[in-house]
Amino acid sequence: MEFNPITPEILAEIIKVTGSEHTYFEKEDLFRFSHDETEDLHFYPEVVALPKSAEEVSELVKICSINQIPITPRGAGTSLSGGALPLHGGLVICMERMNKLIEIDERNLQATVEAGLITQLLMTAVEEKGLFYPVDPASKGSCFIGGNVSHSSGGPQVVKYGTIREYILNLQVVLPSGEIIWTGANTLKFSSGYNLTQLFIGSEGTLGIVTKIVVKLIPKPAENMVMLASFPSNESACEAVSAVFRAGQTPSSLEFIERKGIEWVKEHDSINFNLADGVEAFLLIQVDGDNQDSLFQQCEKINIVLEENGCSDVLLADTTKQKDDLWNMRRLVAVSVKSNSIYKEEDTVVPRAELPKLIKGIKEIGKKYGFESVCYGHAGDGNLHVNIIKSTMTDEEWNTILPHGITEIFNLTVALGGTISGEHGIGYVQKGYLPLKFSPTHIDLMKGIKHVFDPKGIMNPGKIF
């Protein structure tokens, strides 16, 4: 696909839409839009525009469509798959000014928000009304809801409450032609033709730009309890995961952390935690509901299952601070690795009963190819994040040998019935691995959908395929 540069005349048209104060084209202003949270990759756009409304987004898209200018939609830039990288320069349309919480509809348990609203702000606002939006990715304090939709983001509470797909009722979208549409209806059921709302979820900005979102809310659980279970091996911890569910227990969160993850947090974030000898892995488990006595009973039942599967110790958090400290330790694993090492993060997901085989295979592949990994993630839904550490690998090994190891990890994941991303998306860095999961027919169907929406190929080009 051939694209045209942004000429002074086109720049003048863009400035007419968003104003000079909200249009950037000097290199020093473009830097923060040249990267996201994916490794150490940088691609500079030619221009960045910060619209204030769907109508302004529409005008910007029309300018690009007429002039064959590539568009990169951007939220908060927290993508871990290169989704916000402007690979072909062109125009970045950043949604940070479109950040309103438009309405909380308590009668219908819905909220309408703009795409640039920080996820945590929605969660806090609805909790103040006794309601709950359970989609809570690790970056919830900075990521935008529009980016969550575009990447089908998850988080720890997916295991009980379901993925973001179950909480998005309707989307306002600007198509690559500049036309503004609503994809569905503000209803809990939808059986009226193709479900375009679900199609846009996880489409990574390749089909259009999400501008407004109607989300489903649920009543907020009144109580929760948090347990930290210690295990002598990664495999025994992972075996316990599916055993908990087979015993009829459904925690609101069930997270896996290997010992190396806690070691990184202790070393780089000064967390005070007694890491006992012989403990190689942890499960962080949260249950929630409206009755504390029933939660105690649930914890007791879960504890029995954990002991039957080799658990050596269970810590039950007694206070809100203890709960927060345990969750903070879990959330800091990724931060510690990313802040202190060159790394690559892979986002594997398998049926949860296959987690022991997955974690064992990942470690064996690491030994084979000479890389260290720190694994953690949402074990309750089979989603394991694999942070690969450069450590002593040479640049040549990192760039030429490591991809073969990652390919083996993904081949193992697919062989176990899984897929190559559970919540981070494909974006730029994973697109070469997509054929490991999907046949040419499957990929051609996806490309065909892309062409129907975006025949000129201007919307987030170079992503997914």
Side-chain angles (χ1 to χ4, degrees), residues 384-419:
L384 191 67
H385 300 318
V386 185
N387 268 7
I388 298 173
I389 313 301
K390 188 171 187 288
S391 187
T392 59
M393 295 185 78
T394 66
D395 289 345
E396 181 179 0
E397 290 170 336
W398 185 253
N399 293 320
T400 62
I401 295 177
L402 180 60
H404 297 293
I406 294 174
T407 297
E408 282 204 27
I409 290 174
F410 285 145
N411 277 328
L412 171 64
T413 302
V414 172
L416 293 172
T419 189

PDB file of all heavy atoms in Angstrom, residues 384-419:
ATOM      1  N   LEU A 384      -1.235 -16.765  30.635  1.00  0.00           N
ATOM      2  CA  LEU A 384       0.086 -16.679  31.246  1.00  0.00           C
ATOM      3  C   LEU A 384       0.946 -15.687  30.477  1.00  0.00           C
ATOM      4  O   LEU A 384       1.159 -15.831  29.274  1.00  0.00           O
ATOM      5  CB  LEU A 384       0.759 -18.054  31.239  1.00  0.00           C
ATOM      6  CG  LEU A 384       2.037 -18.191  32.069  1.00  0.00           C
ATOM      7  CD1 LEU A 384       1.730 -18.051  33.555  1.00  0.00           C
ATOM      8  CD2 LEU A 384       2.709 -19.531  31.788  1.00  0.00           C
ATOM      9  N   HIS A 385       1.431 -14.660  31.180  1.00  0.00           N
ATOM     10  CA  HIS A 385       2.352 -13.700  30.577  1.00  0.00           C
ATOM     11  C   HIS A 385       3.779 -14.200  30.760  1.00  0.00           C
ATOM     12  O   HIS A 385       4.164 -14.621  31.858  1.00  0.00           O
ATOM     13  CB  HIS A 385       2.199 -12.319  31.223  1.00  0.00           C
ATOM     14  CG  HIS A 385       0.826 -11.744  31.074  1.00  0.00           C
ATOM     15  ND1 HIS A 385       0.110 -11.821  29.907  1.00  0.00           N
ATOM     16  CD2 HIS A 385       0.039 -11.076  31.958  1.00  0.00           C
ATOM     17  CE1 HIS A 385      -1.057 -11.220  30.068  1.00  0.00           C
ATOM     18  NE2 HIS A 385      -1.129 -10.768  31.302  1.00  0.00           N
ATOM     19  N   VAL A 386       4.547 -14.125  29.687  1.00  0.00           N
ATOM     20  CA  VAL A 386       5.919 -14.625  29.698  1.00  0.00           C
ATOM     21  C   VAL A 386       6.848 -13.456  29.383  1.00  0.00           C
ATOM     22  O   VAL A 386       6.935 -13.014  28.237  1.00  0.00           O
ATOM     23  CB  VAL A 386       6.125 -15.749  28.658  1.00  0.00           C
ATOM     24  CG1 VAL A 386       7.527 -16.333  28.783  1.00  0.00           C
ATOM     25  CG2 VAL A 386       5.064 -16.835  28.815  1.00  0.00           C
ATOM     26  N   ASN A 387       7.512 -12.933  30.404  1.00  0.00           N
ATOM     27  CA  ASN A 387       8.495 -11.878  30.192  1.00  0.00           C
ATOM     28  C   ASN A 387       9.853 -12.518  29.947  1.00  0.00           C
ATOM     29  O   ASN A 387      10.422 -13.143  30.838  1.00  0.00           O
ATOM     30  CB  ASN A 387       8.570 -10.947  31.409  1.00  0.00           C
ATOM     31  CG  ASN A 387       7.644  -9.757  31.282  1.00  0.00           C
ATOM     32  OD1 ASN A 387       6.859  -9.680  30.350  1.00  0.00           O
ATOM     33  ND2 ASN A 387       7.717  -8.840  32.208  1.00  0.00           N
ATOM     34  N   ILE A 388      10.361 -12.346  28.740  1.00  0.00           N
ATOM     35  CA  ILE A 388      11.648 -12.912  28.367  1.00  0.00           C
ATOM     36  C   ILE A 388      12.723 -11.863  28.592  1.00  0.00           C
ATOM     37  O   ILE A 388      12.633 -10.743  28.073  1.00  0.00           O
ATOM     38  CB  ILE A 388      11.632 -13.377  26.901  1.00  0.00           C
ATOM     39  CG1 ILE A 388      10.580 -14.484  26.730  1.00  0.00           C
ATOM     40  CG2 ILE A 388      13.009 -13.873  26.473  1.00  0.00           C
ATOM     41  CD1 ILE A 388      10.350 -14.894  25.292  1.00  0.00           C
ATOM     42  N   ILE A 389      13.738 -12.211  29.384  1.00  0.00           N
ATOM     43  CA  ILE A 389      14.774 -11.278  29.806  1.00  0.00           C
ATOM     44  C   ILE A 389      16.013 -11.460  28.942  1.00  0.00           C
ATOM     45  O   ILE A 389      16.476 -12.583  28.712  1.00  0.00           O
ATOM     46  CB  ILE A 389      15.157 -11.524  31.284  1.00  0.00           C
ATOM     47  CG1 ILE A 389      13.909 -11.649  32.158  1.00  0.00           C
ATOM     48  CG2 ILE A 389      16.090 -10.429  31.774  1.00  0.00           C
ATOM     49  CD1 ILE A 389      13.015 -10.456  32.137  1.00  0.00           C
ATOM     50  N   LYS A 390      16.562 -10.362  28.457  1.00  0.00           N
ATOM     51  CA  LYS A 390      17.750 -10.444  27.605  1.00  0.00           C
ATOM     52  C   LYS A 390      18.955 -10.977  28.384  1.00  0.00           C
ATOM     53  O   LYS A 390      19.715 -11.803  27.885  1.00  0.00           O
ATOM     54  CB  LYS A 390      18.082  -9.081  27.000  1.00  0.00           C
ATOM     55  CG  LYS A 390      19.197  -9.132  25.943  1.00  0.00           C
ATOM     56  CD  LYS A 390      19.308  -7.790  25.225  1.00  0.00           C
ATOM     57  CE  LYS A 390      20.293  -7.856  24.058  1.00  0.00           C
ATOM     58  NZ  LYS A 390      21.676  -7.940  24.468  1.00  0.00           N
ATOM     59  N   SER A 391      19.155 -10.465  29.592  1.00  0.00           N
ATOM     60  CA  SER A 391      20.204 -10.951  30.483  1.00  0.00           C
ATOM     61  C   SER A 391      21.546 -11.040  29.752  1.00  0.00           C
ATOM     62  O   SER A 391      22.035 -10.056  29.229  1.00  0.00           O
ATOM     63  CB  SER A 391      19.792 -12.308  31.072  1.00  0.00           C
ATOM     64  OG  SER A 391      20.685 -12.741  32.058  1.00  0.00           O
ATOM     65  N   THR A 392      22.125 -12.233  29.661  1.00  0.00           N
ATOM     66  CA  THR A 392      23.461 -12.386  29.068  1.00  0.00           C
ATOM     67  C   THR A 392      23.423 -12.698  27.578  1.00  0.00           C
ATOM     68  O   THR A 392      24.475 -12.925  26.967  1.00  0.00           O
ATOM     69  CB  THR A 392      24.229 -13.507  29.788  1.00  0.00           C
ATOM     70  OG1 THR A 392      23.492 -14.733  29.686  1.00  0.00           O
ATOM     71  CG2 THR A 392      24.433 -13.161  31.266  1.00  0.00           C
ATOM     72  N   MET A 393      22.252 -12.717  26.978  1.00  0.00           N
ATOM     73  CA  MET A 393      22.180 -12.994  25.541  1.00  0.00           C
ATOM     74  C   MET A 393      22.840 -11.861  24.758  1.00  0.00           C
ATOM     75  O   MET A 393      22.671 -10.682  25.081  1.00  0.00           O
ATOM     76  CB  MET A 393      20.722 -13.154  25.079  1.00  0.00           C
ATOM     77  CG  MET A 393      19.994 -14.350  25.657  1.00  0.00           C
ATOM     78  SD  MET A 393      18.330 -14.545  24.958  1.00  0.00           S
ATOM     79  CE  MET A 393      18.710 -15.276  23.364  1.00  0.00           C
ATOM     80  N   THR A 394      23.578 -12.203  23.733  1.00  0.00           N
ATOM     81  CA  THR A 394      24.154 -11.178  22.870  1.00  0.00           C
ATOM     82  C   THR A 394      23.068 -10.573  21.999  1.00  0.00           C
ATOM     83  O   THR A 394      21.970 -11.130  21.853  1.00  0.00           O
ATOM     84  CB  THR A 394      25.243 -11.775  21.976  1.00  0.00           C
ATOM     85  OG1 THR A 394      24.623 -12.708  21.052  1.00  0.00           O
ATOM     86  CG2 THR A 394      26.310 -12.495  22.796  1.00  0.00           C
ATOM     87  N   ASP A 395      23.367  -9.428  21.377  1.00  0.00           N
ATOM     88  CA  ASP A 395      22.400  -8.808  20.477  1.00  0.00           C
ATOM     89  C   ASP A 395      22.037  -9.747  19.335  1.00  0.00           C
ATOM     90  O   ASP A 395      20.875  -9.823  18.921  1.00  0.00           O
ATOM     91  CB  ASP A 395      22.977  -7.502  19.909  1.00  0.00           C
ATOM     92  CG  ASP A 395      23.055  -6.400  20.962  1.00  0.00           C
ATOM     93  OD1 ASP A 395      22.410  -6.550  22.025  1.00  0.00           O
ATOM     94  OD2 ASP A 395      23.758  -5.405  20.725  1.00  0.00           O
ATOM     95  N   GLU A 396      23.037 -10.471  18.821  1.00  0.00           N
ATOM     96  CA  GLU A 396      22.774 -11.400  17.716  1.00  0.00           C
ATOM     97  C   GLU A 396      21.841 -12.523  18.173  1.00  0.00           C
ATOM     98  O   GLU A 396      20.887 -12.880  17.463  1.00  0.00           O
ATOM     99  CB  GLU A 396      24.084 -11.989  17.189  1.00  0.00           C
ATOM    100  CG  GLU A 396      23.866 -12.939  16.013  1.00  0.00           C
ATOM    101  CD  GLU A 396      25.166 -13.505  15.468  1.00  0.00           C
ATOM    102  OE1 GLU A 396      26.241 -13.157  15.998  1.00  0.00           O
ATOM    103  OE2 GLU A 396      25.092 -14.303  14.512  1.00  0.00           O
ATOM    104  N   GLU A 397      22.095 -13.072  19.350  1.00  0.00           N
ATOM    105  CA  GLU A 397      21.226 -14.128  19.875  1.00  0.00           C
ATOM    106  C   GLU A 397      19.819 -13.593  20.112  1.00  0.00           C
ATOM    107  O   GLU A 397      18.818 -14.268  19.803  1.00  0.00           O
ATOM    108  CB  GLU A 397      21.805 -14.671  21.184  1.00  0.00           C
ATOM    109  CG  GLU A 397      23.071 -15.475  21.009  1.00  0.00           C
ATOM    110  CD  GLU A 397      23.752 -15.793  22.331  1.00  0.00           C
ATOM    111  OE1 GLU A 397      23.537 -15.036  23.317  1.00  0.00           O
ATOM    112  OE2 GLU A 397      24.504 -16.784  22.391  1.00  0.00           O
ATOM    113  N   TRP A 398      19.740 -12.387  20.651  1.00  0.00           N
ATOM    114  CA  TRP A 398      18.436 -11.772  20.941  1.00  0.00           C
ATOM    115  C   TRP A 398      17.627 -11.563  19.661  1.00  0.00           C
ATOM    116  O   TRP A 398      16.407 -11.785  19.641  1.00  0.00           O
ATOM    117  CB  TRP A 398      18.671 -10.454  21.654  1.00  0.00           C
ATOM    118  CG  TRP A 398      17.449  -9.730  22.135  1.00  0.00           C
ATOM    119  CD1 TRP A 398      16.899  -8.601  21.597  1.00  0.00           C
ATOM    120  CD2 TRP A 398      16.631 -10.062  23.267  1.00  0.00           C
ATOM    121  NE1 TRP A 398      15.805  -8.210  22.320  1.00  0.00           N
ATOM    122  CE2 TRP A 398      15.616  -9.083  23.349  1.00  0.00           C
ATOM    123  CE3 TRP A 398      16.662 -11.085  24.211  1.00  0.00           C
ATOM    124  CZ2 TRP A 398      14.637  -9.113  24.345  1.00  0.00           C
ATOM    125  CZ3 TRP A 398      15.691 -11.107  25.200  1.00  0.00           C
ATOM    126  CH2 TRP A 398      14.690 -10.134  25.258  1.00  0.00           C
ATOM    127  N   ASN A 399      18.299 -11.154  18.607  1.00  0.00           N
ATOM    128  CA  ASN A 399      17.593 -10.793  17.375  1.00  0.00           C
ATOM    129  C   ASN A 399      17.400 -11.958  16.412  1.00  0.00           C
ATOM    130  O   ASN A 399      16.468 -11.929  15.596  1.00  0.00           O
ATOM    131  CB  ASN A 399      18.349  -9.666  16.663  1.00  0.00           C
ATOM    132  CG  ASN A 399      18.331  -8.366  17.451  1.00  0.00           C
ATOM    133  OD1 ASN A 399      17.311  -8.003  18.034  1.00  0.00           O
ATOM    134  ND2 ASN A 399      19.466  -7.685  17.502  1.00  0.00           N
ATOM    135  N   THR A 400      18.253 -12.962  16.480  1.00  0.00           N
ATOM    136  CA  THR A 400      18.172 -14.040  15.487  1.00  0.00           C
ATOM    137  C   THR A 400      17.786 -15.402  16.065  1.00  0.00           C
ATOM    138  O   THR A 400      17.095 -16.179  15.421  1.00  0.00           O
ATOM    139  CB  THR A 400      19.509 -14.190  14.736  1.00  0.00           C
ATOM    140  OG1 THR A 400      20.545 -14.545  15.676  1.00  0.00           O
ATOM    141  CG2 THR A 400      19.887 -12.898  14.026  1.00  0.00           C
ATOM    142  N   ILE A 401      18.218 -15.682  17.292  1.00  0.00           N
ATOM    143  CA  ILE A 401      17.934 -16.990  17.881  1.00  0.00           C
ATOM    144  C   ILE A 401      16.634 -16.965  18.687  1.00  0.00           C
ATOM    145  O   ILE A 401      15.818 -17.892  18.608  1.00  0.00           O
ATOM    146  CB  ILE A 401      19.108 -17.448  18.770  1.00  0.00           C
ATOM    147  CG1 ILE A 401      20.347 -17.682  17.904  1.00  0.00           C
ATOM    148  CG2 ILE A 401      18.752 -18.717  19.539  1.00  0.00           C
ATOM    149  CD1 ILE A 401      21.588 -18.065  18.688  1.00  0.00           C
ATOM    150  N   LEU A 402      16.421 -15.885  19.473  1.00  0.00           N
ATOM    151  CA  LEU A 402      15.234 -15.808  20.321  1.00  0.00           C
ATOM    152  C   LEU A 402      13.924 -15.994  19.554  1.00  0.00           C
ATOM    153  O   LEU A 402      13.023 -16.685  20.053  1.00  0.00           O
ATOM    154  CB  LEU A 402      15.211 -14.476  21.073  1.00  0.00           C
ATOM    155  CG  LEU A 402      14.009 -14.265  21.989  1.00  0.00           C
ATOM    156  CD1 LEU A 402      13.938 -15.341  23.062  1.00  0.00           C
ATOM    157  CD2 LEU A 402      14.047 -12.881  22.627  1.00  0.00           C
ATOM    158  N   PRO A 403      13.755 -15.402  18.341  1.00  0.00           N
ATOM    159  CA  PRO A 403      12.491 -15.617  17.632  1.00  0.00           C
ATOM    160  C   PRO A 403      12.147 -17.090  17.418  1.00  0.00           C
ATOM    161  O   PRO A 403      10.960 -17.448  17.403  1.00  0.00           O
ATOM    162  CB  PRO A 403      12.712 -14.893  16.297  1.00  0.00           C
ATOM    163  CG  PRO A 403      13.687 -13.803  16.635  1.00  0.00           C
ATOM    164  CD  PRO A 403      14.612 -14.414  17.643  1.00  0.00           C
ATOM    165  N   HIS A 404      13.160 -17.937  17.274  1.00  0.00           N
ATOM    166  CA  HIS A 404      12.881 -19.374  17.137  1.00  0.00           C
ATOM    167  C   HIS A 404      12.324 -19.936  18.436  1.00  0.00           C
ATOM    168  O   HIS A 404      11.426 -20.794  18.430  1.00  0.00           O
ATOM    169  CB  HIS A 404      14.161 -20.120  16.738  1.00  0.00           C
ATOM    170  CG  HIS A 404      14.705 -19.716  15.408  1.00  0.00           C
ATOM    171  ND1 HIS A 404      14.048 -19.970  14.223  1.00  0.00           N
ATOM    172  CD2 HIS A 404      15.846 -19.060  15.063  1.00  0.00           C
ATOM    173  CE1 HIS A 404      14.750 -19.501  13.205  1.00  0.00           C
ATOM    174  NE2 HIS A 404      15.847 -18.930  13.699  1.00  0.00           N
ATOM    175  N   GLY A 405      12.849 -19.444  19.567  1.00  0.00           N
ATOM    176  CA  GLY A 405      12.321 -19.875  20.849  1.00  0.00           C
ATOM    177  C   GLY A 405      10.893 -19.415  21.066  1.00  0.00           C
ATOM    178  O   GLY A 405      10.043 -20.178  21.568  1.00  0.00           O
ATOM    179  N   ILE A 406      10.594 -18.175  20.676  1.00  0.00           N
ATOM    180  CA  ILE A 406       9.224 -17.665  20.805  1.00  0.00           C
ATOM    181  C   ILE A 406       8.279 -18.466  19.916  1.00  0.00           C
ATOM    182  O   ILE A 406       7.154 -18.801  20.318  1.00  0.00           O
ATOM    183  CB  ILE A 406       9.180 -16.169  20.450  1.00  0.00           C
ATOM    184  CG1 ILE A 406       9.984 -15.364  21.475  1.00  0.00           C
ATOM    185  CG2 ILE A 406       7.737 -15.670  20.395  1.00  0.00           C
ATOM    186  CD1 ILE A 406      10.127 -13.886  21.134  1.00  0.00           C
ATOM    187  N   THR A 407       8.749 -18.811  18.719  1.00  0.00           N
ATOM    188  CA  THR A 407       7.935 -19.647  17.834  1.00  0.00           C
ATOM    189  C   THR A 407       7.602 -20.976  18.499  1.00  0.00           C
ATOM    190  O   THR A 407       6.458 -21.455  18.422  1.00  0.00           O
ATOM    191  CB  THR A 407       8.671 -19.885  16.501  1.00  0.00           C
ATOM    192  OG1 THR A 407       8.851 -18.635  15.835  1.00  0.00           O
ATOM    193  CG2 THR A 407       7.884 -20.822  15.595  1.00  0.00           C
ATOM    194  N   GLU A 408       8.577 -21.580  19.173  1.00  0.00           N
ATOM    195  CA  GLU A 408       8.318 -22.852  19.868  1.00  0.00           C
ATOM    196  C   GLU A 408       7.315 -22.669  20.997  1.00  0.00           C
ATOM    197  O   GLU A 408       6.463 -23.534  21.227  1.00  0.00           O
ATOM    198  CB  GLU A 408       9.625 -23.444  20.404  1.00  0.00           C
ATOM    199  CG  GLU A 408      10.467 -24.127  19.337  1.00  0.00           C
ATOM    200  CD  GLU A 408      11.411 -25.169  19.916  1.00  0.00           C
ATOM    201  OE1 GLU A 408      11.100 -25.732  20.990  1.00  0.00           O
ATOM    202  OE2 GLU A 408      12.451 -25.428  19.284  1.00  0.00           O
ATOM    203  N   ILE A 409       7.412 -21.536  21.709  1.00  0.00           N
ATOM    204  CA  ILE A 409       6.439 -21.271  22.779  1.00  0.00           C
ATOM    205  C   ILE A 409       5.034 -21.189  22.202  1.00  0.00           C
ATOM    206  O   ILE A 409       4.084 -21.781  22.741  1.00  0.00           O
ATOM    207  CB  ILE A 409       6.801 -19.978  23.539  1.00  0.00           C
ATOM    208  CG1 ILE A 409       8.058 -20.176  24.382  1.00  0.00           C
ATOM    209  CG2 ILE A 409       5.630 -19.530  24.428  1.00  0.00           C
ATOM    210  CD1 ILE A 409       8.561 -18.904  25.044  1.00  0.00           C
ATOM    211  N   PHE A 410       4.878 -20.487  21.106  1.00  0.00           N
ATOM    212  CA  PHE A 410       3.552 -20.347  20.507  1.00  0.00           C
ATOM    213  C   PHE A 410       3.060 -21.663  19.893  1.00  0.00           C
ATOM    214  O   PHE A 410       1.870 -21.975  19.956  1.00  0.00           O
ATOM    215  CB  PHE A 410       3.556 -19.228  19.463  1.00  0.00           C
ATOM    216  CG  PHE A 410       3.566 -17.850  20.049  1.00  0.00           C
ATOM    217  CD1 PHE A 410       4.247 -16.814  19.436  1.00  0.00           C
ATOM    218  CD2 PHE A 410       2.883 -17.575  21.223  1.00  0.00           C
ATOM    219  CE1 PHE A 410       4.258 -15.535  19.965  1.00  0.00           C
ATOM    220  CE2 PHE A 410       2.885 -16.299  21.769  1.00  0.00           C
ATOM    221  CZ  PHE A 410       3.573 -15.286  21.144  1.00  0.00           C
ATOM    222  N   ASN A 411       3.975 -22.427  19.310  1.00  0.00           N
ATOM    223  CA  ASN A 411       3.575 -23.744  18.787  1.00  0.00           C
ATOM    224  C   ASN A 411       3.079 -24.632  19.920  1.00  0.00           C
ATOM    225  O   ASN A 411       2.087 -25.366  19.764  1.00  0.00           O
ATOM    226  CB  ASN A 411       4.742 -24.405  18.059  1.00  0.00           C
ATOM    227  CG  ASN A 411       4.876 -23.932  16.618  1.00  0.00           C
ATOM    228  OD1 ASN A 411       3.879 -23.613  15.967  1.00  0.00           O
ATOM    229  ND2 ASN A 411       6.097 -23.868  16.116  1.00  0.00           N
ATOM    230  N   LEU A 412       3.766 -24.585  21.056  1.00  0.00           N
ATOM    231  CA  LEU A 412       3.319 -25.358  22.225  1.00  0.00           C
ATOM    232  C   LEU A 412       1.950 -24.869  22.684  1.00  0.00           C
ATOM    233  O   LEU A 412       1.052 -25.676  22.970  1.00  0.00           O
ATOM    234  CB  LEU A 412       4.341 -25.210  23.350  1.00  0.00           C
ATOM    235  CG  LEU A 412       3.929 -25.771  24.721  1.00  0.00           C
ATOM    236  CD1 LEU A 412       3.743 -27.279  24.644  1.00  0.00           C
ATOM    237  CD2 LEU A 412       4.953 -25.398  25.795  1.00  0.00           C
ATOM    238  N   THR A 413       1.779 -23.554  22.741  1.00  0.00           N
ATOM    239  CA  THR A 413       0.511 -22.978  23.182  1.00  0.00           C
ATOM    240  C   THR A 413      -0.641 -23.450  22.301  1.00  0.00           C
ATOM    241  O   THR A 413      -1.700 -23.863  22.795  1.00  0.00           O
ATOM    242  CB  THR A 413       0.597 -21.437  23.156  1.00  0.00           C
ATOM    243  OG1 THR A 413       1.682 -21.012  23.990  1.00  0.00           O
ATOM    244  CG2 THR A 413      -0.685 -20.810  23.649  1.00  0.00           C
ATOM    245  N   VAL A 414      -0.431 -23.397  20.999  1.00  0.00           N
ATOM    246  CA  VAL A 414      -1.476 -23.820  20.054  1.00  0.00           C
ATOM    247  C   VAL A 414      -1.723 -25.322  20.174  1.00  0.00           C
ATOM    248  O   VAL A 414      -2.878 -25.777  20.149  1.00  0.00           O
ATOM    249  CB  VAL A 414      -1.074 -23.432  18.615  1.00  0.00           C
ATOM    250  CG1 VAL A 414      -2.042 -24.045  17.605  1.00  0.00           C
ATOM    251  CG2 VAL A 414      -1.036 -21.913  18.470  1.00  0.00           C
ATOM    252  N   ALA A 415      -0.663 -26.105  20.348  1.00  0.00           N
ATOM    253  CA  ALA A 415      -0.807 -27.556  20.479  1.00  0.00           C
ATOM    254  C   ALA A 415      -1.612 -27.930  21.720  1.00  0.00           C
ATOM    255  O   ALA A 415      -2.291 -28.975  21.746  1.00  0.00           O
ATOM    256  CB  ALA A 415       0.573 -28.215  20.534  1.00  0.00           C
ATOM    257  N   LEU A 416      -1.561 -27.080  22.740  1.00  0.00           N
ATOM    258  CA  LEU A 416      -2.317 -27.322  23.973  1.00  0.00           C
ATOM    259  C   LEU A 416      -3.742 -26.782  23.895  1.00  0.00           C
ATOM    260  O   LEU A 416      -4.467 -26.781  24.885  1.00  0.00           O
ATOM    261  CB  LEU A 416      -1.588 -26.678  25.161  1.00  0.00           C
ATOM    262  CG  LEU A 416      -0.240 -27.303  25.532  1.00  0.00           C
ATOM    263  CD1 LEU A 416       0.471 -26.469  26.596  1.00  0.00           C
ATOM    264  CD2 LEU A 416      -0.417 -28.742  26.011  1.00  0.00           C
ATOM    265  N   GLY A 417      -4.142 -26.327  22.707  1.00  0.00           N
ATOM    266  CA  GLY A 417      -5.504 -25.821  22.519  1.00  0.00           C
ATOM    267  C   GLY A 417      -5.657 -24.345  22.762  1.00  0.00           C
ATOM    268  O   GLY A 417      -6.780 -23.841  22.862  1.00  0.00           O
ATOM    269  N   GLY A 418      -4.539 -23.625  22.837  1.00  0.00           N
ATOM    270  CA  GLY A 418      -4.586 -22.200  23.133  1.00  0.00           C
ATOM    271  C   GLY A 418      -4.356 -21.329  21.919  1.00  0.00           C
ATOM    272  O   GLY A 418      -4.412 -21.783  20.775  1.00  0.00           O
ATOM    273  N   THR A 419      -4.048 -20.054  22.188  1.00  0.00           N
ATOM    274  CA  THR A 419      -3.788 -19.110  21.115  1.00  0.00           C
ATOM    275  C   THR A 419      -2.711 -18.124  21.557  1.00  0.00           C
ATOM    276  O   THR A 419      -2.297 -18.133  22.713  1.00  0.00           O
ATOM    277  CB  THR A 419      -5.076 -18.387  20.679  1.00  0.00           C
ATOM    278  OG1 THR A 419      -4.816 -17.632  19.494  1.00  0.00           O
ATOM    279  CG2 THR A 419      -5.606 -17.484  21.765  1.00  0.00           C
TER     280      THR A 419
END
